[in-house]
Amino acid sequence: MYRNSNFAAIDVGSTKVCTLVGELTPAEGMRIVGVGIAPTVGMNKGVVDNIQQATESILSSVEKAERSSGTRIVSARVSISGGHIGSMINRAVVAIPGRTRPIGPEDVARVLEAAAAVSIPSDRQVLHVIPRYFVVDGQEHVSDPVGMYGQRLDVETLIVTGAVSAIQNLTKCVEGAGVQVEELVLSSFASAEAVLEDEEKRQGVVLADVGGGTTDVSVFADGSVLHAAVLQVSGFHLTHDLVAGLRAPFAAVEEAKTLYAHAIPSTVDSEELVEIDTFGSDRRKSVSRRRLAEITQARLEEMLEMVYMDIRRIGFDDTLAAGLVLTGGTANLPGLDTLAEQVLRMPARIGVPHGLSGLSDILANPAYATGVGLLHWVLRDHEPDRRRVREKAPGSAWEWLRTIGRWFKFLLPQ
Ligand SMILES: Nc1ncnc2c1ncn2[C@@H]1O[C@H](COP(=O)(O)OP(=O)(O)OP(=O)(O)O)[C@@H](O)[C@H]1O
Ligand SMILES: [Mg+2]
């Protein structure tokens, strides 16, 4: 039986689908009670390229999570990524009628609706409308205007959009696996929930989730998100470079990469050799581990430069005091944080998902940041439930705002 306090999350990655079942409990908050991981077929660079294969991959992951949790998954939060994702800042303003009453939730809804009514092509759809801050009669950076007096309410929002076709294809695959999509959540927003500290978000930080098909970038400052982008470079490209450099089959190189690659070649013994299967008559040969690291380093430097160019484009290179947090499967590469600090000259660390109980050892790996983050995202949306469970006093209007923010995609003309 699927209970009301159970929530499911499906991270549909380019290399693996990760389905998690979380249970909201009074004592522990969100506790992970089921995990199902299956290799992905039918996805390329973060988007579906074979409906049937992608559906089967999702189904396999969902069935594993159902068996592991002893529940049936009927609906889930689902991650979305791919080169079609775009983001923009949009501001809006509304007048507050009547001087005698304070600003109410309906005024906030109006201003958010105005911000969401941005003109976008008919083949694109709004995925998120995230209020960054409000301005009340010129008073900047108001986090919650409800209850304040003022005649003019401004909001600055980050609007995330995606291609309608990519969204429909992903939805079709998840539904084909027998699961309703409750909400599509941008992968990097989910990962941010699982790996970033509040202080990093306040002081300015860029998150890069370097996966197997994409690198998902998001930038936070003053406690809220101000940019999101998806770069089409990832661990897959790294493996491809090694295939060309070592002249060996993809699977053998992928294994060698995860076992022996390093981001800093000088730390690897120049004499050390590793055995791998290769093309040609020899079939198996010894290759220098230093050489493996040199090829790895070259591609990683290019990836890091791309992340840097993306944040420079929006003018946020020097102002991000907390630097760069790297997550995603490729962040398992030893030395990646050190290389990032050398190349970008900013602090860098590896982000491992945290914050939920019942997290088995296998999930304490950067590759599962998005999946774990999707369950954190559930907590944001279900703050009233959590409050009831924990018998806390009602909080700010923010949780409510996040929820109505999601509705705007339905209000917009397609
Ligand atoms: N120890 C390791 N060293 C180097 N690379 C690794 C290691 N472990 C995993 N990877 C790489 O991580 C990548 C998979 O990462 P991840 O699971 O985050 O991707 P994904 O979520 O399936 O895909 P995406 O998010 O890009 O759509 C693969 O390219 C894999 O080779
Ligand atoms: Mg991923």
Side-chain angles (χ1 to χ4, degrees):
M1 240 323 258
Y2 190 82
R3 285 159 293 174
N4 275 341
S5 57
N6 278 2
F7 299 93
I10 309 177
D11 171 24
V12 189
S14 303
T15 67
K16 51 97 183 57
V17 184
C18 172
T19 302
L20 300 179
V21 179
E23 187 182 25
L24 204 49
T25 69
E28 296 176 273
M30 185 69 81
R31 194 165 64 90
I32 295 174
V33 295
V35 182
I37 296 160
T40 307
V41 192
M43 296 278 293
N44 187 18
K45 295 182 185 163
V47 294
V48 174
D49 73 352
N50 183 316
I51 295 273
Q52 196 186 337
Q53 289 177 336
T55 304
E56 280 165 15
S57 304
I58 294 167
L59 182 62
S60 163
S61 162
V62 166
E63 284 176 346
K64 284 182 186 173
E66 286 182 335
R67 277 198 296 278
S68 128
S69 62
T71 59
R72 210 176 90 60
I73 298 172
V74 291
S75 65
R77 263 80 181 173
V78 177
S79 67
I80 184 160
S81 179
H84 62 101
I85 297 292
S87 75
M88 67 186 114
I89 296 281
N90 196 32
R91 287 183 74 121
V93 57
V94 291
I96 308 297
R99 291 166 183 230
T100 49
R101 69 165 181 89
I103 295 169
E106 66 286 359
D107 299 313
V108 175
R110 272 194 306 126
V111 77
L112 283 175
E113 195 175 346
V118 60
S119 154
I120 53 169
S122 60
D123 60 352
R124 297 193 67 76
Q125 183 177 327
V126 172
L127 286 165
H128 296 285
V129 178
I130 305 206
R132 296 200 57 240
Y133 62 84
F134 297 88
V135 181
V136 178
D137 280 2
Q139 183 187 334
E140 292 273 343
H141 294 278
V142 171
S143 60
D144 184 358
V146 173
M148 292 177 72
Y149 286 89
Q151 293 176 320
R152 177 192 157 114
L153 176 65
D154 296 54
V155 69
E156 180 168 304
T157 59
L158 182 79
I159 298 190
V160 179
T161 65
V164 170
S165 54
I167 293 169
Q168 286 173 332
N169 289 339
L170 178 61
T171 304
K172 184 175 176 182
C173 292
V174 176
E175 288 179 355
V179 179
Q180 286 299 310
V181 177
E182 276 178 58
E183 184 184 8
L184 291 172
V185 180
L186 187 67
S187 294
S188 63
F189 288 178
S191 300
E193 293 288 317
V195 304
L196 292 184
E197 308 291 342
D198 286 346
E199 179 63 0
E200 288 172 329
K201 289 189 197 167
R202 265 192 295 275
Q203 304 309 334
V205 69
V206 51
L207 174 74
D209 182 324
V210 193
T214 59
T215 292
D216 296 59
V217 178
S218 50
V219 178
F220 294 77
D222 303 322
S224 63
V225 61
L226 51 83
H227 175 65
V230 178
L231 311 178
Q232 304 211 35
V233 63
S234 65
F236 173 83
H237 299 88
L238 198 49
T239 309
H240 246 277
D241 288 354
L242 292 166
V243 166
L246 305 177
R247 294 171 171 264
F250 193 92
V253 165
E254 175 71 20
E255 189 188 348
K257 179 183 83 168
T258 50
L259 289 176
Y260 308 115
H262 203 290
I264 312 280
S266 57
T267 61
V268 174
D269 182 352
S270 59
E271 306 291 308
E272 189 177 344
L273 298 174
V274 295
E275 289 263 305
I276 69 166
D277 292 338
T278 56
F279 291 122
S281 58
D282 285 348
R283 287 292 175 210
R284 208 159 163 78
K285 75 173 180 191
S286 302
V287 298
S288 152
R289 195 174 165 208
R290 170 78 68 93
R291 172 92 187 105
L292 196 75
E294 282 166 355
I295 299 171
T296 304
Q297 184 193 39
R299 176 60 90 164
L300 290 175
E301 279 180 356
E302 190 196 326
M303 273 185 211
L304 291 165
E305 300 279 0
M306 282 175 72
V307 172
Y308 185 71
M309 294 302 286
D310 187 62
I311 57 173
R312 239 184 82 164
R313 204 167 43 80
I314 57 154
F316 276 95
D317 46 345
D318 293 331
T319 49
L320 303 168
L324 173 68
V325 175
L326 291 145
T327 192
T330 302
N332 282 304
L333 259 172
L336 180 59
D337 45 355
T338 310
L339 181 70
E341 290 191 333
Q342 286 172 7
V343 173
L344 304 184
R345 281 181 230 96
M346 57 168 72
R349 72 171 180 92
I350 304 301
V352 178
H354 60 74
L356 300 186
S357 58
L359 203 66
S360 62
D361 285 351
I362 189 171
L363 293 176
N365 181 312
Y368 302 114
T370 306
V372 173
L374 284 170
L375 283 182
H376 279 274
W377 192 270
V378 172
L379 282 180
R380 290 166 46 131
D381 279 356
H382 285 77
E383 188 64 16
D385 291 352
R386 189 169 54 155
R387 278 203 296 272
R388 213 180 314 123
V389 170
R390 292 185 169 175
E391 294 174 13
K392 273 189 179 174
S396 76
W398 272 100
E399 299 306 324
W400 179 80
L401 291 173
R402 287 189 187 110
T403 306
I404 61 171
R406 289 208 323 272
W407 297 347
F408 290 135
K409 64 185 172 200
F410 300 111
L411 300 176
L412 283 173
Q414 295 299 315

